[in-house]
Amino acid sequence: MRRWYRTATLIIAKQELAAALRGRMILAFGGLFATLAIGIALAGLGASGQLLVQGFTRTAVSLLTLALYLLPMLGLILGASAFGGDDGGVELLLAQPISRTEALAGRALGLAAALAVVSLGGFALAGVVVLVGAGAVGAGGFLLAAFGATLVGLVGLSIGVLIGIVVRRRGAAVGWALAAWVTAAVLFDLAAIAVLQITGDGQPGPWLVTLLAINPIDGVRALALVGLGADVLLGPTGAALHRMLGPGGGALWVAGSLVMWLVLPSVAGAAVFRRRDF
Amino acid sequence: MIRYEQFTKRFGAVTAVESLDLALEEGETMALIGPNGSGKTTTLKAALGLIRPTSGRVLVEGRDAARDGRDARSRIGYLPQRLVFPDGMTAREVLRFYAELRGVEPELRLLDRVGLLEAADRDVNGFSGGMRQRLGIAVALLGSPSVLVLDEPTASLDPSGALAVRDMIHAIRADGTAVLLSSHDLAEVAALADRVGVFVGGRLGALGTPAELARSLGLAVGTLVSTATGLESIYRRIAVAHPQLVA
């Protein structure tokens, strides 16, 4: 009988994590995110005396904006390039006496762990800077922001894995992954503004929650702003956000959407992966 | 050991393998030859459950490769045509990784057997093609499988590398392990195989010992070992004898 830590999924996850941490992509994204995170923390400290939002809270808001662009992109590219095309490695892996679900779950878990290292590592470095320079006030909200940003990165990974499995050619898979990122991180906001203009004379309303629930990047951003108390900086929009997400109903919608975006692409990817010929 | 029963595989409108009935016996070495795209690799992969039959089935020691894939694969060691190991690992780590997946001990004697013991702690990214192929054979031998499936094991190697791999296959079959391999090298096929299956257009056009094959096609046995000219001659004669195969 195998011990739990020697199951095929964990053996593969461990190896995938080690390979990812040695890879150029994680090193590049990790280095960039860590550098910018420390920079933001230092900049936040410099200005913290003059602003209402201080220390951890101010850093969390700024860092979240960066993380919600960078981490979904990393997740999408990481997943699409790992599963797009077969360089022969997957074939040898699947020729072992393991199930396809174990192989897929192991690889995805390893990549997820690598993404979490990048995300939580960056937040941790910034956190240390803030803790030393400004104390622990607002650390809870900062942790929440780190957790939310990591979740959005994992949503990106889940979608990236699905793209890689379906598209099968690495270059094309990465292209589709980047298109998905541009849509979610850039184009969606423009479309959302247009929808709000058409449906509610530009004022936030029920449509806003719906739009936030559809796009996990915007959903987590809005939830975190409310959670951190930074919505006060956003005027009427912030007040509307607080009204809709603060008491819990809207927040549940956004949380449900996050879970859905994590689970659905994974389930769809697994279904295709199990039936695919290699 | 491996039994194909009316195995058919279609990829969309393309039929890769049609109604294949074939059995690899215990301790036997069988070589599959045929032009590119004739169905050799599809046939090999079906035994590992990497490719699912459109119809028919493939049994490995009685286990259906598509439905009981894990069980079937535990009895097979596999060397793919394109061999890629996880990035940044040493030969020892590669062996340990696949041994853990198979639930067996990472036997270092396997590295010794394929002549890589001294390179055990070297990064496999720096290995030559021949060294990678030998490491692939060591991985395939983990857990002492009863069948080895080798997809063009010497295709990308220089003559000395190919010779070393061929010697290894000789030693493996001498131990009683059944071997199913594909090849374009008739010298290799004649030297290693007890029986040869010739694929043309997704069908098994001929099957027999190298001598039987040469006789049935009206060829001198020596033709079987005279490089690509021999192969072309075999495919041409099979196509003439069985025009329906290439229709």
Short mmCIF file of all heavy atoms in Angstrom, two decimals, chain A residues 103-168:
data_model
loop_
_atom_site.label_atom_id
_atom_site.label_comp_id
_atom_site.label_asym_id
_atom_site.label_seq_id
_atom_site.Cartn_x
_atom_site.Cartn_y
_atom_site.Cartn_z
N ALA A 103 -2.27 11.87 -13.64
CA ALA A 103 -1.23 12.61 -14.37
C ALA A 103 -1.61 14.08 -14.51
O ALA A 103 -0.79 14.97 -14.25
CB ALA A 103 -1.01 11.98 -15.74
N LEU A 104 -2.86 14.32 -14.91
CA LEU A 104 -3.31 15.70 -15.11
C LEU A 104 -3.33 16.45 -13.78
O LEU A 104 -2.82 17.58 -13.69
CB LEU A 104 -4.72 15.69 -15.73
CG LEU A 104 -5.40 17.04 -15.89
CD1 LEU A 104 -4.64 17.90 -16.89
CD2 LEU A 104 -6.84 16.88 -16.35
N ALA A 105 -3.90 15.82 -12.76
CA ALA A 105 -3.99 16.49 -11.46
C ALA A 105 -2.59 16.77 -10.91
O ALA A 105 -2.34 17.85 -10.35
CB ALA A 105 -4.77 15.61 -10.49
N GLY A 106 -1.68 15.84 -11.07
CA GLY A 106 -0.32 16.03 -10.57
C GLY A 106 0.37 17.20 -11.24
O GLY A 106 0.95 18.07 -10.58
N ARG A 107 0.27 17.25 -12.56
CA ARG A 107 0.92 18.34 -13.28
C ARG A 107 0.28 19.68 -12.93
O ARG A 107 0.98 20.67 -12.69
CB ARG A 107 0.84 18.11 -14.79
CG ARG A 107 1.64 16.89 -15.26
CD ARG A 107 1.88 16.94 -16.74
NE ARG A 107 2.81 17.99 -17.09
CZ ARG A 107 2.92 18.52 -18.30
NH1 ARG A 107 2.14 18.10 -19.27
NH2 ARG A 107 3.80 19.47 -18.55
N ALA A 108 -1.06 19.70 -12.89
CA ALA A 108 -1.75 20.96 -12.59
C ALA A 108 -1.44 21.41 -11.15
O ALA A 108 -1.22 22.61 -10.91
CB ALA A 108 -3.25 20.78 -12.79
N LEU A 109 -1.40 20.47 -10.22
CA LEU A 109 -1.08 20.83 -8.83
C LEU A 109 0.32 21.42 -8.71
O LEU A 109 0.55 22.39 -7.99
CB LEU A 109 -1.18 19.60 -7.93
CG LEU A 109 -2.52 19.30 -7.29
CD1 LEU A 109 -2.42 18.04 -6.43
CD2 LEU A 109 -2.96 20.48 -6.41
N GLY A 110 1.27 20.80 -9.42
CA GLY A 110 2.65 21.29 -9.39
C GLY A 110 2.73 22.71 -9.93
O GLY A 110 3.40 23.58 -9.36
N LEU A 111 2.03 22.97 -11.04
CA LEU A 111 2.03 24.31 -11.63
C LEU A 111 1.34 25.30 -10.70
O LEU A 111 1.78 26.45 -10.56
CB LEU A 111 1.33 24.29 -12.99
CG LEU A 111 2.03 23.48 -14.09
CD1 LEU A 111 1.16 23.41 -15.35
CD2 LEU A 111 3.39 24.10 -14.44
N ALA A 112 0.25 24.84 -10.06
CA ALA A 112 -0.48 25.71 -9.12
C ALA A 112 0.43 26.09 -7.95
O ALA A 112 0.45 27.25 -7.50
CB ALA A 112 -1.73 25.00 -8.62
N ALA A 113 1.20 25.12 -7.48
CA ALA A 113 2.12 25.41 -6.37
C ALA A 113 3.18 26.41 -6.80
O ALA A 113 3.54 27.32 -6.03
CB ALA A 113 2.76 24.11 -5.89
N ALA A 114 3.67 26.27 -8.04
CA ALA A 114 4.69 27.21 -8.54
C ALA A 114 4.11 28.62 -8.63
O ALA A 114 4.76 29.60 -8.25
CB ALA A 114 5.19 26.75 -9.91
N LEU A 115 2.87 28.72 -9.10
CA LEU A 115 2.22 30.04 -9.21
C LEU A 115 2.01 30.63 -7.81
O LEU A 115 2.22 31.84 -7.60
CB LEU A 115 0.89 29.89 -9.94
CG LEU A 115 0.17 31.19 -10.28
CD1 LEU A 115 -0.48 31.08 -11.66
CD2 LEU A 115 -0.88 31.57 -9.26
N ALA A 116 1.63 29.78 -6.86
CA ALA A 116 1.43 30.26 -5.49
C ALA A 116 2.74 30.76 -4.89
O ALA A 116 2.75 31.74 -4.13
CB ALA A 116 0.83 29.15 -4.64
N VAL A 117 3.83 30.09 -5.23
CA VAL A 117 5.15 30.54 -4.74
C VAL A 117 5.43 31.96 -5.24
O VAL A 117 5.87 32.83 -4.48
CB VAL A 117 6.27 29.56 -5.17
CG1 VAL A 117 7.64 30.17 -4.95
CG2 VAL A 117 6.14 28.24 -4.42
N VAL A 118 5.18 32.18 -6.54
CA VAL A 118 5.41 33.51 -7.13
C VAL A 118 4.53 34.54 -6.44
O VAL A 118 4.99 35.60 -5.99
CB VAL A 118 5.12 33.49 -8.65
CG1 VAL A 118 5.11 34.91 -9.22
CG2 VAL A 118 6.16 32.65 -9.38
N SER A 119 3.23 34.22 -6.33
CA SER A 119 2.27 35.19 -5.79
C SER A 119 2.52 35.47 -4.31
O SER A 119 2.73 36.62 -3.90
CB SER A 119 0.85 34.63 -5.99
OG SER A 119 -0.07 35.46 -5.32
N LEU A 120 2.51 34.41 -3.53
CA LEU A 120 2.66 34.60 -2.08
C LEU A 120 4.07 35.08 -1.72
O LEU A 120 4.25 35.83 -0.76
CB LEU A 120 2.32 33.30 -1.35
CG LEU A 120 0.86 32.82 -1.57
CD1 LEU A 120 0.60 31.50 -0.88
CD2 LEU A 120 -0.13 33.88 -1.10
N GLY A 121 5.06 34.67 -2.54
CA GLY A 121 6.42 35.14 -2.31
C GLY A 121 6.51 36.66 -2.48
O GLY A 121 7.12 37.35 -1.66
N GLY A 122 5.89 37.17 -3.56
CA GLY A 122 5.89 38.61 -3.81
C GLY A 122 5.18 39.37 -2.70
O GLY A 122 5.70 40.37 -2.17
N PHE A 123 3.99 38.88 -2.33
CA PHE A 123 3.25 39.53 -1.25
C PHE A 123 4.03 39.46 0.07
O PHE A 123 4.03 40.41 0.85
CB PHE A 123 1.87 38.88 -1.08
CG PHE A 123 0.81 39.47 -1.97
CD1 PHE A 123 0.51 38.92 -3.21
CD2 PHE A 123 0.11 40.61 -1.58
CE1 PHE A 123 -0.45 39.47 -4.03
CE2 PHE A 123 -0.87 41.17 -2.40
CZ PHE A 123 -1.15 40.60 -3.63
N ALA A 124 4.68 38.32 0.30
CA ALA A 124 5.42 38.15 1.56
C ALA A 124 6.57 39.14 1.65
O ALA A 124 6.80 39.76 2.70
CB ALA A 124 5.93 36.71 1.67
N LEU A 125 7.30 39.29 0.53
CA LEU A 125 8.43 40.24 0.54
C LEU A 125 7.94 41.66 0.83
O LEU A 125 8.51 42.39 1.66
CB LEU A 125 9.16 40.20 -0.81
CG LEU A 125 10.03 38.97 -1.05
CD1 LEU A 125 10.53 38.95 -2.49
CD2 LEU A 125 11.20 38.95 -0.07
N ALA A 126 6.84 42.05 0.13
CA ALA A 126 6.29 43.39 0.37
C ALA A 126 5.81 43.50 1.81
O ALA A 126 5.99 44.53 2.47
CB ALA A 126 5.14 43.64 -0.60
N GLY A 127 5.20 42.41 2.31
CA GLY A 127 4.68 42.40 3.67
C GLY A 127 5.77 42.62 4.70
O GLY A 127 5.58 43.36 5.67
N VAL A 128 6.91 42.00 4.49
CA VAL A 128 8.03 42.16 5.42
C VAL A 128 8.48 43.63 5.46
O VAL A 128 8.71 44.22 6.53
CB VAL A 128 9.20 41.23 5.04
CG1 VAL A 128 10.45 41.58 5.82
CG2 VAL A 128 8.80 39.77 5.27
N VAL A 129 8.57 44.21 4.24
CA VAL A 129 8.98 45.63 4.15
C VAL A 129 8.01 46.52 4.94
O VAL A 129 8.42 47.39 5.73
CB VAL A 129 9.05 46.08 2.67
CG1 VAL A 129 9.27 47.59 2.56
CG2 VAL A 129 10.17 45.34 1.95
N VAL A 130 6.72 46.30 4.73
CA VAL A 130 5.70 47.12 5.39
C VAL A 130 5.72 46.88 6.90
O VAL A 130 5.64 47.81 7.70
CB VAL A 130 4.30 46.83 4.82
CG1 VAL A 130 3.23 47.57 5.60
CG2 VAL A 130 4.25 47.22 3.35
N LEU A 131 5.83 45.62 7.28
CA LEU A 131 5.81 45.24 8.70
C LEU A 131 6.94 45.94 9.45
O LEU A 131 6.76 46.51 10.53
CB LEU A 131 5.94 43.73 8.84
CG LEU A 131 5.72 43.15 10.23
CD1 LEU A 131 4.28 43.36 10.67
CD2 LEU A 131 6.05 41.66 10.26
N VAL A 132 8.11 45.90 8.83
CA VAL A 132 9.28 46.53 9.47
C VAL A 132 9.13 48.05 9.50
O VAL A 132 9.43 48.70 10.50
CB VAL A 132 10.58 46.13 8.72
CG1 VAL A 132 11.78 46.93 9.22
CG2 VAL A 132 10.82 44.63 8.87
N GLY A 133 8.60 48.61 8.39
CA GLY A 133 8.55 50.06 8.28
C GLY A 133 7.33 50.71 8.89
O GLY A 133 7.38 51.87 9.30
N ALA A 134 6.20 50.00 8.95
CA ALA A 134 4.96 50.68 9.35
C ALA A 134 4.13 49.90 10.35
O ALA A 134 3.02 50.31 10.68
CB ALA A 134 4.13 50.97 8.10
N GLY A 135 4.56 48.75 10.78
CA GLY A 135 3.80 47.98 11.76
C GLY A 135 2.76 47.08 11.11
O GLY A 135 2.64 47.02 9.89
N ALA A 136 1.97 46.42 11.96
CA ALA A 136 1.10 45.34 11.49
C ALA A 136 -0.34 45.77 11.23
O ALA A 136 -1.18 44.94 10.89
CB ALA A 136 1.12 44.20 12.51
N VAL A 137 -0.64 47.06 11.34
CA VAL A 137 -2.03 47.50 11.14
C VAL A 137 -2.47 47.21 9.70
O VAL A 137 -1.77 47.56 8.75
CB VAL A 137 -2.16 49.02 11.43
CG1 VAL A 137 -3.58 49.49 11.13
CG2 VAL A 137 -1.78 49.29 12.88
N GLY A 138 -3.59 46.54 9.55
CA GLY A 138 -4.12 46.22 8.21
C GLY A 138 -3.55 44.96 7.61
O GLY A 138 -3.81 44.65 6.45
N ALA A 139 -2.80 44.18 8.41
CA ALA A 139 -2.16 42.97 7.87
C ALA A 139 -3.21 41.93 7.43
O ALA A 139 -2.98 41.19 6.47
CB ALA A 139 -1.22 42.36 8.90
N GLY A 140 -4.35 41.90 8.13
CA GLY A 140 -5.40 40.94 7.77
C GLY A 140 -5.91 41.16 6.36
O GLY A 140 -6.03 40.22 5.57
N GLY A 141 -6.19 42.43 6.04
CA GLY A 141 -6.68 42.76 4.70
C GLY A 141 -5.63 42.47 3.65
O GLY A 141 -5.94 42.02 2.54
N PHE A 142 -4.38 42.70 4.00
CA PHE A 142 -3.26 42.42 3.09
C PHE A 142 -3.21 40.92 2.77
O PHE A 142 -3.04 40.53 1.61
CB PHE A 142 -1.96 42.88 3.76
CG PHE A 142 -0.73 42.73 2.90
CD1 PHE A 142 -0.38 43.72 1.99
CD2 PHE A 142 0.07 41.62 3.01
CE1 PHE A 142 0.75 43.59 1.20
CE2 PHE A 142 1.21 41.47 2.23
CZ PHE A 142 1.55 42.47 1.32
N LEU A 143 -3.38 40.11 3.81
CA LEU A 143 -3.38 38.65 3.60
C LEU A 143 -4.54 38.24 2.71
O LEU A 143 -4.40 37.37 1.83
CB LEU A 143 -3.50 37.93 4.95
CG LEU A 143 -2.22 37.83 5.77
CD1 LEU A 143 -2.51 37.20 7.13
CD2 LEU A 143 -1.16 37.02 5.03
N LEU A 144 -5.69 38.88 2.93
CA LEU A 144 -6.87 38.59 2.11
C LEU A 144 -6.60 38.92 0.64
O LEU A 144 -6.98 38.17 -0.27
CB LEU A 144 -8.05 39.41 2.63
CG LEU A 144 -9.44 38.85 2.39
CD1 LEU A 144 -9.64 37.56 3.16
CD2 LEU A 144 -10.50 39.88 2.77
N ALA A 145 -5.95 40.06 0.43
CA ALA A 145 -5.61 40.48 -0.94
C ALA A 145 -4.66 39.47 -1.58
O ALA A 145 -4.82 39.10 -2.76
CB ALA A 145 -4.98 41.87 -0.92
N ALA A 146 -3.68 39.01 -0.80
CA ALA A 146 -2.72 38.02 -1.32
C ALA A 146 -3.45 36.73 -1.70
O ALA A 146 -3.21 36.14 -2.77
CB ALA A 146 -1.65 37.72 -0.27
N PHE A 147 -4.36 36.32 -0.85
CA PHE A 147 -5.13 35.10 -1.10
C PHE A 147 -6.01 35.27 -2.34
O PHE A 147 -6.05 34.38 -3.21
CB PHE A 147 -5.98 34.80 0.15
CG PHE A 147 -6.82 33.57 0.04
CD1 PHE A 147 -6.22 32.31 -0.02
CD2 PHE A 147 -8.20 33.65 -0.01
CE1 PHE A 147 -6.99 31.16 -0.13
CE2 PHE A 147 -8.98 32.50 -0.13
CZ PHE A 147 -8.37 31.26 -0.18
N GLY A 148 -6.68 36.41 -2.44
CA GLY A 148 -7.56 36.66 -3.59
C GLY A 148 -6.78 36.71 -4.89
O GLY A 148 -7.19 36.11 -5.89
N ALA A 149 -5.64 37.39 -4.88
CA ALA A 149 -4.83 37.50 -6.10
C ALA A 149 -4.32 36.13 -6.53
O ALA A 149 -4.28 35.80 -7.72
CB ALA A 149 -3.66 38.45 -5.86
N THR A 150 -3.93 35.32 -5.54
CA THR A 150 -3.44 33.97 -5.86
C THR A 150 -4.58 33.14 -6.48
O THR A 150 -4.36 32.41 -7.45
CB THR A 150 -2.91 33.28 -4.59
OG1 THR A 150 -1.94 34.13 -3.99
CG2 THR A 150 -2.28 31.94 -4.91
N LEU A 151 -5.78 33.30 -5.91
CA LEU A 151 -6.93 32.56 -6.46
C LEU A 151 -7.18 32.95 -7.92
O LEU A 151 -7.45 32.08 -8.76
CB LEU A 151 -8.18 32.87 -5.64
CG LEU A 151 -8.52 31.92 -4.50
CD1 LEU A 151 -9.81 32.36 -3.82
CD2 LEU A 151 -8.67 30.49 -5.01
N VAL A 152 -7.09 34.23 -8.21
CA VAL A 152 -7.31 34.68 -9.60
C VAL A 152 -6.21 34.11 -10.51
O VAL A 152 -6.47 33.71 -11.65
CB VAL A 152 -7.37 36.22 -9.68
CG1 VAL A 152 -7.45 36.68 -11.13
CG2 VAL A 152 -8.58 36.73 -8.92
N GLY A 153 -4.98 34.05 -10.00
CA GLY A 153 -3.90 33.42 -10.77
C GLY A 153 -4.22 31.96 -11.05
O GLY A 153 -4.00 31.45 -12.16
N LEU A 154 -4.79 31.29 -10.05
CA LEU A 154 -5.13 29.87 -10.23
C LEU A 154 -6.29 29.70 -11.21
O LEU A 154 -6.34 28.71 -11.94
CB LEU A 154 -5.49 29.25 -8.87
CG LEU A 154 -4.32 29.16 -7.87
CD1 LEU A 154 -4.79 28.57 -6.54
CD2 LEU A 154 -3.18 28.32 -8.44
N VAL A 155 -7.21 30.67 -11.21
CA VAL A 155 -8.28 30.64 -12.22
C VAL A 155 -7.65 30.72 -13.61
O VAL A 155 -8.01 29.97 -14.53
CB VAL A 155 -9.28 31.80 -12.00
CG1 VAL A 155 -10.18 31.97 -13.22
CG2 VAL A 155 -10.13 31.54 -10.76
N GLY A 156 -6.68 31.63 -13.75
CA GLY A 156 -5.96 31.75 -15.03
C GLY A 156 -5.30 30.43 -15.41
O GLY A 156 -5.37 29.99 -16.56
N LEU A 157 -4.70 29.78 -14.43
CA LEU A 157 -4.03 28.50 -14.68
C LEU A 157 -5.04 27.45 -15.14
O LEU A 157 -4.80 26.71 -16.10
CB LEU A 157 -3.32 28.02 -13.41
CG LEU A 157 -2.62 26.67 -13.51
CD1 LEU A 157 -1.44 26.72 -14.48
CD2 LEU A 157 -2.13 26.20 -12.14
N SER A 158 -6.17 27.42 -14.46
CA SER A 158 -7.21 26.44 -14.80
C SER A 158 -7.68 26.62 -16.25
O SER A 158 -7.81 25.64 -17.00
CB SER A 158 -8.38 26.62 -13.82
OG SER A 158 -9.43 25.77 -14.13
N ILE A 159 -7.88 27.89 -16.63
CA ILE A 159 -8.31 28.17 -18.01
C ILE A 159 -7.16 27.88 -18.99
O ILE A 159 -7.38 27.33 -20.07
CB ILE A 159 -8.79 29.63 -18.14
CG1 ILE A 159 -10.03 29.84 -17.24
CG2 ILE A 159 -9.12 29.98 -19.58
CD1 ILE A 159 -10.44 31.30 -17.07
N GLY A 160 -5.94 28.22 -18.58
CA GLY A 160 -4.77 27.95 -19.43
C GLY A 160 -4.59 26.46 -19.69
O GLY A 160 -4.27 26.05 -20.82
N VAL A 161 -4.79 25.65 -18.66
CA VAL A 161 -4.67 24.20 -18.83
C VAL A 161 -5.71 23.70 -19.82
O VAL A 161 -5.41 22.90 -20.72
CB VAL A 161 -4.82 23.48 -17.46
CG1 VAL A 161 -4.99 21.98 -17.65
CG2 VAL A 161 -3.61 23.76 -16.57
N LEU A 162 -6.93 24.21 -19.67
CA LEU A 162 -8.00 23.80 -20.61
C LEU A 162 -7.63 24.20 -22.04
O LEU A 162 -7.75 23.39 -22.98
CB LEU A 162 -9.33 24.45 -20.21
CG LEU A 162 -10.49 24.25 -21.19
CD1 LEU A 162 -10.86 22.77 -21.31
CD2 LEU A 162 -11.72 25.05 -20.76
N ILE A 163 -7.13 25.42 -22.21
CA ILE A 163 -6.74 25.88 -23.55
C ILE A 163 -5.65 24.97 -24.11
O ILE A 163 -5.71 24.52 -25.26
CB ILE A 163 -6.25 27.35 -23.50
CG1 ILE A 163 -7.42 28.30 -23.22
CG2 ILE A 163 -5.56 27.74 -24.81
CD1 ILE A 163 -7.01 29.74 -22.96
N GLY A 164 -4.65 24.67 -23.28
CA GLY A 164 -3.54 23.81 -23.73
C GLY A 164 -4.02 22.43 -24.16
O GLY A 164 -3.58 21.89 -25.18
N ILE A 165 -4.94 21.87 -23.39
CA ILE A 165 -5.44 20.52 -23.69
C ILE A 165 -6.25 20.52 -24.98
O ILE A 165 -6.12 19.63 -25.81
CB ILE A 165 -6.29 19.99 -22.52
CG1 ILE A 165 -5.39 19.67 -21.32
CG2 ILE A 165 -7.09 18.75 -22.93
CD1 ILE A 165 -6.14 19.35 -20.05
N VAL A 166 -7.06 21.57 -25.15
CA VAL A 166 -7.95 21.60 -26.33
C VAL A 166 -7.17 21.98 -27.59
O VAL A 166 -7.33 21.36 -28.64
CB VAL A 166 -9.11 22.59 -26.09
CG1 VAL A 166 -9.92 22.80 -27.37
CG2 VAL A 166 -10.03 22.06 -24.99
N VAL A 167 -6.29 22.98 -27.49
CA VAL A 167 -5.63 23.51 -28.69
C VAL A 167 -4.51 22.59 -29.18
O VAL A 167 -4.29 22.43 -30.36
CB VAL A 167 -5.09 24.94 -28.43
CG1 VAL A 167 -4.30 25.44 -29.63
CG2 VAL A 167 -6.25 25.88 -28.15
N ARG A 168 -3.78 21.96 -28.26
CA ARG A 168 -2.78 20.94 -28.56
C ARG A 168 -1.47 21.44 -29.15
O ARG A 168 -0.46 20.78 -29.02
CB ARG A 168 -3.34 19.84 -29.47
CG ARG A 168 -4.47 19.06 -28.83
CD ARG A 168 -4.78 17.81 -29.59
NE ARG A 168 -3.75 16.80 -29.37
CZ ARG A 168 -3.96 15.51 -29.52
NH1 ARG A 168 -5.12 15.07 -29.90
NH2 ARG A 168 -2.99 14.65 -29.32
#
